[in-house]
Amino acid sequence: MAETTYKTPLLDELEKGAWPSFVKEIKMAAKRSPMANDLLGQLEQSYQEKIGHWKHGGIVGVMGYGGGVIGRYSDLSEKYPGVSHFHTMRINQPAGWFYTSEALRSLCDVWERHGSGLTNMHGSTGDIVFLGTRTEELEPIFEELAKLDFDIGGSGSDLRTPSCCNGMARCEWACYDTMQACYQLTQDFQDELHRPAFPYKFKFKFSGCPNDCVASIARSDMSFIGTWRDDIQMDQSEVKKYVDGGLDIQKDVIDRCPGKCMEWNGKELSIENSFCVKCMHCINVMPKALRPGKDRGCTILIGSKAPIVEGAQLSSVLVPFMKLEPPYTEIKDLIERIWDVWCEEGKNRERVGEFIQRVGLGNFLEAIEVEPVPEMVAHPRENPYVFYEEYYEDDDGEEEEEA
Amino acid sequence: MAETTYKTPLLDELEKGAWPSFVKEIKMAAKRSPMANDLLGQLEQSYQEKIGHWKHGGIVGVMGYGGGVIGRYSDLSEKYPGVSHFHTMRINQPAGWFYTSEALRSLCDVWERHGSGLTNMHGSTGDIVFLGTRTEELEPIFEELAKLDFDIGGSGSDLRTPSCCNGMARCEWACYDTMQACYQLTQDFQDELHRPAFPYKFKFKFSGCPNDCVASIARSDMSFIGTWRDDIQMDQSEVKKYVDGGLDIQKDVIDRCPGKCMEWNGKELSIENSFCVKCMHCINVMPKALRPGKDRGCTILIGSKAPIVEGAQLSSVLVPFMKLEPPYTEIKDLIERIWDVWCEEGKNRERVGEFIQRVGLGNFLEAIEVEPVPEMVAHPRENPYVFYEEYYEDDDGEEEEEA
Amino acid sequence: MAVERRTDFGPPHYEKYLPPIIKENYGKWKYHEILKPGVMVHVSESGDKLYTVRASSGRLLSIDKIRIYADLADKYCGGYLRFTSRHNVEFLLTDSANIDPLVADLQKMGHPVGGIGNAITSIVHTQGWVHCHSAATDASGIVKAVMDDLIEYFDGTTKLPGKLRIALACCLNMCGAVHCSDIAILGIHRRPPKVNHETLKKQCEIPNVVSACPTAAIRPAIVDGNQSVEVIEENCMFCANCYTVCPSMPLNDPLNDGVSIWVGGKVSNARTEPMFSKLAIPFIPNNPPRWPEVTDAVRKLVELWAANAHNHERMGEWIQRIGWPKFFKMADIPFQKEHIDDFKHAGLTFKRSTHLTF
Amino acid sequence: MAVERRTDFGPPHYEKYLPPIIKENYGKWKYHEILKPGVMVHVSESGDKLYTVRASSGRLLSIDKIRIYADLADKYCGGYLRFTSRHNVEFLLTDSANIDPLVADLQKMGHPVGGIGNAITSIVHTQGWVHCHSAATDASGIVKAVMDDLIEYFDGTTKLPGKLRIALACCLNMCGAVHCSDIAILGIHRRPPKVNHETLKKQCEIPNVVSACPTAAIRPAIVDGNQSVEVIEENCMFCANCYTVCPSMPLNDPLNDGVSIWVGGKVSNARTEPMFSKLAIPFIPNNPPRWPEVTDAVRKLVELWAANAHNHERMGEWIQRIGWPKFFKMADIPFQKEHIDDFKHAGLTFKRSTHLTF
Ligand code: SRM
Ligand code: SRM
Ligand code: SRM
Ligand code: SRM
Ligand code: SF4
Ligand code: SF4
Ligand code: SF4
Ligand code: SF4
Ligand code: SF4
Ligand code: SF4
Ligand code: SF4
Ligand code: SF4
């Protein structure tokens, strides 16, 4: 294949330095792929001109799926024909991002045959991102992936590829089985994941404890964060060892405890667990000495998102505590009730968090049949603008239902 | 005067009990005043029916003044002719609510001659409230008050009667002279106080220190709260005495210090004053040992109000620190700039706090010529929706001013 | 020609009313001490001592009572007295021997002495049925009933961990500025305005009425041939702002008016920043003359706080420490939809972390 | 007839990829220890030990590099490896003797080992000019430049008081979810959309475009005979939501695009509740290939925090403790109008107390 070799003086500057160089990666791929080569050329031009050269994406995909592919075309396709099409495929990663070398190699083989040879491991939603291919390659890629048992992830107004922390696989703090929950709900909601039918995107993320190592509270419409209800497990002798080892337990642990519920008498640590807000801090600092309690489950929160349009949100508590265990019936029912209400009444491009703010959390709870509890709010209302729903009529003195 | 004696079985219940009884007061006044007597009758009816019997106020006043009188008419004036008119007069109290017995008596005399004989000492804005008189009495009352040097207070869309804590008169913590400032600004803005020409009401309140004994941060469009910039004055031997006297200095003082800047080594108290947020707590607990610093002045805050319409607000910092001293030129200039902008651009019935939120604090500061400082915000913006006001044009590369 | 009428002379200068000891020690006070309930002394750098005796005034005062105050002031303290920002009366003494007789006189005439220090002081309040057209409840009546019940906390009989401020406003205009009180009693309407279509066009400007509504519940309409407005009832949250601008839209309604109870606000900057009060009890019907459900509810809240708060811990600080879920459980108040904010900034009141206790 | 095409089978089951030691100890891990930069051990209740070596992947990986990872995994750990939620690669070892050789191999090939514990780990980021049509800046280029500069904090050469998370998003869509990062680098446009009036009607639905704008800056208009829209420029805050729904409204502009820097966000519930990042530096022009002004600004922030924070104190917690005024002074960043929120909840960001330091 006749190929231009681009001069890339600006990008070359980014081959220097200690951090892995994406320019080197592109150059490596460019050795074999004209697409990657033309990406290099176009990117150098972007660096020169300080502007991207991609057109607004078009809709492309694989048969029967409505999402999972981001269409992308160069606005300099004559100059860089290799990137005239440069679509992204989102491949649903295995829960926890665990791989065998064999699995990785077979993915690489598919991508060598049909794409630019460039990837993101991983995209920020969590997918394996195959970066750059042509429309006509999509179906063959899907076919080959299917043989490897790799399915496509989400994009558009659908359930997005769920992701989870490595949880019980490699973490002592997992309060529920994040990988199983993530896998199972992904499987159970395949239709919602592949066929955009929501008002907008919807994301699940699963973290095994309040450290929230997949940033679920900031980045998912529904955040599952492990927690516990009983007492922190303590090994006093290990506490002592930390202190003897130089830990300033007063300053670095006790004074930083948001529950203000710890005391150290020089020999023993005591915790007033009814005030512990399960923040993880003391456990984080003394992993050998303290562990989450034994009555474990998760807090379910709803609504986080990036700023567009109504401003960023963190998720807020929907279910203070729930055991998240197979067959996940209770949670699936809840999710479906939420989707029903949101699909029925949500506006186009309105994330569920924005929807809740528009209709009111109280009304939303009624619609999804969840009882309000004080754990859902940082504090009760401050303004006196209460929509009392009933009033008495003068004539008959009977309570009348409004609204 | 022929007068009905009303049966007041419900109100009579409120003559019982240890707290002073307003019913007794009304009855006392009713002995001499038919207005007070009819008030008693109408009020008993309200208690029976659980509803007030006042009509929406009309505009009444004294010559040349636009405010200071709240018109009030009974909707049962045939039954209770004494309250057919029952207007309120707001009399500007002396700063700090200090009186001599003589001053009080002469006020009572005026009110005995011309009104119901009922008062509020004081209204919640701070005025002496003369409760209940007829339109034709207003002018005579004003005339007599003028002789006593008592002028009328504010009402309607004007400057409302300013009020202040007793400050230097009886408090060791006053960081500026609240009574003088209150008096002087009241005098200097007489026109604004008496002739409604603002978009809505505007209130000043003056507290000598952050304890804020006139609730200025919650109840005034402009709040003047005393503070200091240097170190808290300490008398270590007095500190010791408090501790010896049983004060748990660690738990009740140090652990409650929001600046987390105090330490007690068993003998001496030390304060890292650069972290002290001037909350007053330690001083409140140990008034003999600690005192505000010597470099005193006040923080000026803007915008508090009750909920109607956009929701309640607390005042927010406008000037972190200013010496508030005669001739008060700097502060008067600032106030006038604020009024100019608000009068020009504020909507009808838009308090200044609501106005600022609508136009943006940054724009407001520009208009009143005050530099933004980080003390004005709890934190900088979290959303990325910044109205950058300039951009370069492609052709000439020159910065262009927008908006 | 008439003599020019004197206007705009402003309030009298306060100096006229200051006792000599204050003039001499103005700005020179050094510290104060609380001597007993309702009595404190301020000590000057000069060593001078000013004694204050504080009594409840009740606020709604007849001139007869004010004259009695004046007499007491003459008798015990050279005629000098003042009122406080919470409407108590304070007598300013230089001779400590006069304290006890003055206290005795005040108590005898039914004006309890107290409210200083860690106590409940007078309830800031408003007009209610005594004077205001907007009132959803009476002011003075509830205040009297509540304070009769809480007198032990005013007069020092029962000790408290900190200051506790109660306020009452008889409608959402909140003249009592209850929005930052430890306990707030707030009169509320619960029935949308009943429009008087006959008078409306005459009394009110329709565009003003429409734009007065924060929730856009009002729209212009022709009713029975009158130019008027209609209210979309499910959008009304009973703020009565329409009534303020238009007398033809009254909300007062004996069957549906009542009070709500709010907790945890504060004004001072001491320790924590000032806080708004939050909704505790959405609705209690009006039950004059003594509103027993309200006095009970307030007492329960006071007792709960008194029993559980740390020293110097205001109601809101205590709740902040224990968390709202515990508060609702301990106060035995059911948490309902009404407690959840749904106005403009509602989203910012949701719990956006997993910091929960179980 | 064709065989039915297999769809909706979902991701492979993770169990296939778990090393035996994990399968055996699933849910039984007892504690972990950090052995050295980038290396930790998890100890099971059974006593089994799993070693993890974490290296930066760079995220944008060629299949060539992935194959090299696969080879390393085969060589040192039975072929088992994983990636993290921040795009690092982790090798899962059972034989501690393999740690050092693996680390050496990784370092040799330019993939530094580190990022565990109190360190700066990889920058979560997005596509930039490599793939996205919305980008106001490049992603990979800035990330590379910044991390080259901060490498000492990744590889453990320089110790830090706590974790510090940096993220980058190339436009306000914030795919990098930078809104809760200790330091966020955010690509921003600063010029309103340049409407392509010729294509607009064809490509976009005008009502959608109009309603896409959160500040109502867009209104329908006829321009040169085309049905199109016009932008009220002073109402535009450059969110590009109009461009997302309509390709005829591009905001990309080499002269005006650049980045802003945000600080003090966090995600974890450790100690404090999760927090949003706040604006520190409103604008830095794009300066490829190495964005020196950005790397400088980030380094200054890191150093300031590192020098002043307490143990385990995240950037936002540190700033909360010292207060924003001190932060701006110490960071030597001028406080400007841009820092003051003016969007919907702006009022709630104002300082509503006198808790100030001087
Ligand atoms: C590829 C990826 C960035 C990356 O480099 O990792 C990405 C890329 C795009 N995102 Fe995203 N988003 C990606 C994760 C995110 C995340 C992070 C997350 O999921 O944890 C967010 C923030 C969290 C959230 O959902 O709010 C995110 C918030 C957005 C938004 C703003 C949504 C909002 O409600 O505020 C948009 C705009 C939109 O939806 O129209 C957007 C839109 C886009 C589009 C499709 C551009 C567009 O305007 O249509 C980008 C395509 C880029 C391209 O050409 O490759 N992307 N996007 C991430 C997906 C990879 C994957 O599947 O693993
Ligand atoms: C008399 C007084 C209550 C009292 O018993 O003490 C009072 C009484 C009225 N207030 Fe007030 N306000 C009084 C202090 C306040 C305060 C407290 C303060 O000033 O510290 C507030 C809260 C602080 C504030 O300004 O926001 C207050 C907030 C309101 C509001 C709501 C304003 C808002 O922006 O939210 C209204 C409604 C209005 O202005 O239309 C209002 C309106 C009224 C009106 C005029 C009724 C109306 O709708 O037009 C009341 C007349 C009652 C009557 O017939 O006597 N009143 N009003 C207080 C004035 C006495 C005095 O001059 O000393
Ligand atoms: C007389 C008065 C000022 C005036 O010019 O009228 C006053 C006077 C004093 N206040 Fe006050 N405060 C007065 C209303 C207030 C208010 C306003 C209010 O309640 O509406 C506040 C804000 C309340 C709030 O935060 O909601 C107020 C918050 C304080 C505080 C802070 C208390 C706290 O811990 O939050 C102190 C300090 C203390 O008591 O430890 C204080 C301390 C004091 C001291 C000790 C100051 C001094 O050294 O003279 C005075 C006597 C103490 C007392 O009453 O316990 N004063 N004080 C007011 C008496 C009202 C009354 O009759 O009860
Ligand atoms: C591997 C990974 C999860 C995964 O399934 O991929 C992971 C793994 C661990 N995290 Fe994490 N965290 C991982 C992303 C996160 C994230 C998400 C993020 O950064 O986007 C967070 C939230 C960050 C935030 O708050 O902004 C996170 C907040 C924590 C915390 C809380 C730190 C804090 O003080 O705020 C801990 C506890 C600690 O380190 O003391 C923690 C602790 C841990 C422990 C010690 C848990 C354990 O016992 O195994 C693990 C190794 C520690 C380490 O990296 O220092 N992990 N951790 C992620 C590695 C990312 C990376 O490559 O660097
Ligand atoms: S979120 Fe908790 S359980 Fe999951 S990896 Fe992080 S620390 Fe472990
Ligand atoms: S988990 Fe957090 S709140 Fe609970 S005891 Fe430990 S530090 Fe305190
Ligand atoms: S506000 Fe301060 S100065 Fe004024 S009376 Fe209260 S404590 Fe004293
Ligand atoms: S005034 Fe407040 S912040 Fe300052 S040292 Fe005393 S308690 Fe701490
Ligand atoms: S609170 Fe309402 S009802 Fe009470 S006096 Fe004020 S305006 Fe009137
Ligand atoms: S009471 Fe308030 S919400 Fe109801 S119609 Fe009137 S203005 Fe609107
Ligand atoms: S942040 Fe913006 S520019 Fe970057 S990938 Fe996401 S949508 Fe594209
Ligand atoms: S960029 Fe945003 S604010 Fe500007 S016109 Fe487009 S949608 Fe409106």
Side-chain angles (χ1 to χ4, degrees), chain A residues 387, chain C residues 191-193 209 212-218 231-233 235-243 249 251:
Chain A
F387 292 91
Chain C
R191 183 172 185 163
V209 181
C213 181
T215 53
I218 305 177
V231 176
I232 309 157
E233 296 207 341
N235 287 2
C236 175
M237 44 59 178
F238 323 104
C239 70
N241 197 43
C242 50
Y243 178 57
M249 303 199 62
L251 282 91

Side-chain angles (χ1 to χ4, degrees), chain B residues 91-105:
Chain B
I91 322 291
N92 198 141
Q93 81 286 4
W97 301 288
F98 284 89
Y99 297 92
T100 54
S101 49
E102 188 204 327
L104 284 181
R105 285 196 193 94

Side-chain angles (χ1 to χ4, degrees), chain C residues 27 81 165 167 193 200 215 234 265 270:
Chain C
L81 76 173
R165 304 304 210 206
L200 191 133
T215 53
E234 58 273 29

Side-chain angles (χ1 to χ4, degrees), chain B residues 72 124-125 127 200-201 203 306 308, chain C residues 59 127 131 175:
Chain B
R72 186 64 70 224
S124 66
T125 303
D127 289 287
Y200 204 6
K201 59 187 80 166
K203 297 181 180 175
I308 306 296
Chain C
R59 193 178 91 123
Q127 297 297 335
H131 202 268
C175 298

Side-chain angles (χ1 to χ4, degrees), chain A residues 10 13-14 16-22 25 28 32 39 43 46-47 49-52 54-56 63 65 72 86-88 92-101 103-105 108-109 111-112 117-124 131 139 142 146 149-151 166 168-173 177 179-180 183 186-187 190 194-195 210-215 217-219 252 256 258 279 281 284-285 287-288 291 305-310 312-314 349, chain D residues 5-14 16-18 22 26-27 29-33 40 42 45 50 52 56-67 70-71 74 79-85 87 90 92 110-112 122 124-125 127 129-133 138 140-141 144 147-148 151 154 172-175 177 179-180 214 239 241 243-245 247 252-254 267-271 274 276 286 288-291 310-313 317 343-344:
Chain A
L10 292 183
E13 289 298 312
L14 290 167
K16 302 172 188 165
W19 198 248
S21 167
F22 70 103
E25 299 294 319
M28 246 191 279
R32 145 177 33 228
L39 176 67
L43 191 60
S46 285
Y47 267 64
E49 296 172 354
K50 306 188 193 176
I51 192 164
W54 301 108
K55 287 203 273 194
H56 210 281
M63 243 167 45
Y65 282 52
R72 188 62 71 224
F86 202 67
H87 312 322
T88 278
N92 197 142
Q93 83 286 2
W97 300 289
F98 284 89
Y99 297 91
T100 55
S101 49
L104 284 182
R105 284 197 193 94
C108 291
D109 295 347
W111 196 228
E112 175 167 1
L118 290 169
T119 74
N120 289 142
M121 294 301 275
H122 294 78
S124 66
L131 208 56
E139 197 54 35
F142 177 69
D149 272 348
F150 276 92
D151 202 346
N166 58 189
M168 291 187 170
R170 202 202 47 196
C171 183
E172 66 269 35
W173 297 327
D177 190 342
M179 303 211 314
Q180 190 193 55
Y183 175 78
T186 307
Q187 288 295 348
Q190 281 290 301
H194 293 309
R195 280 158 216 99
N211 282 328
D212 198 0
C213 293
V214 289
I217 203 167
R219 300 165 71 172
D252 287 343
R256 309 295 295 284
C279 85
H281 177 65
N284 290 343
V285 176
K288 281 191 185 172
R291 310 179 66 186
K305 56 174 301 292
I308 307 297
V309 182
E310 297 290 317
Q313 292 182 24
L314 293 160
R349 299 191 82 237
Chain D
R5 188 159 159 276
R6 192 170 160 242
T7 64
D8 297 313
F9 43 91
H13 198 286
Y14 52 88
K16 300 211 287 199
Y17 305 131
L18 299 181
I22 286 191
Y26 198 88
W29 299 107
K30 198 166 167 207
Y31 66 88
H32 75 279
E33 268 180 305
M40 62 182 163
H42 283 78
E45 279 162 9
L50 172 67
T52 298
S56 158
S57 79
R59 193 178 92 124
L60 197 166
L61 288 169
S62 64
I63 51 177
D64 312 83
K65 183 59 64 56
I66 297 174
R67 285 169 177 153
D71 294 343
D74 285 344
Y80 295 102
L81 77 174
R82 73 180 289 265
F83 293 84
T84 71
S85 64
H87 321 309
E90 290 184 337
L92 305 164
H111 286 259
S122 293
V124 165
H125 65 278
Q127 297 297 335
W129 295 332
V130 168
H131 201 267
C132 193
H133 62 282
D138 189 39
S140 317
K144 164 81 174 127
M147 287 308 295
D148 278 348
I151 190 72
F154 178 85
L172 265 52
N173 284 338
M174 289 201 187
C175 299
H179 56 297
C180 295
C239 69
N241 197 43
Y243 178 55
T244 297
V245 305
N252 295 349
D253 183 275
V267 165
S268 80
N269 288 278
R271 301 168 304 282
F276 288 119
N286 278 325
R290 295 201 65 101
W291 282 266
H310 290 169
N311 281 342
H312 310 293
E313 197 171 48
E317 295 171 310
F343 195 50
K344 287 189 307 183

Side-chain angles (χ1 to χ4, degrees), chain C residues 111-128:
Chain C
H111 286 260
V113 169
I116 293 184
N118 290 344
I120 294 181
T121 178
S122 293
I123 296 183
V124 165
H125 65 279
T126 47
Q127 297 297 335

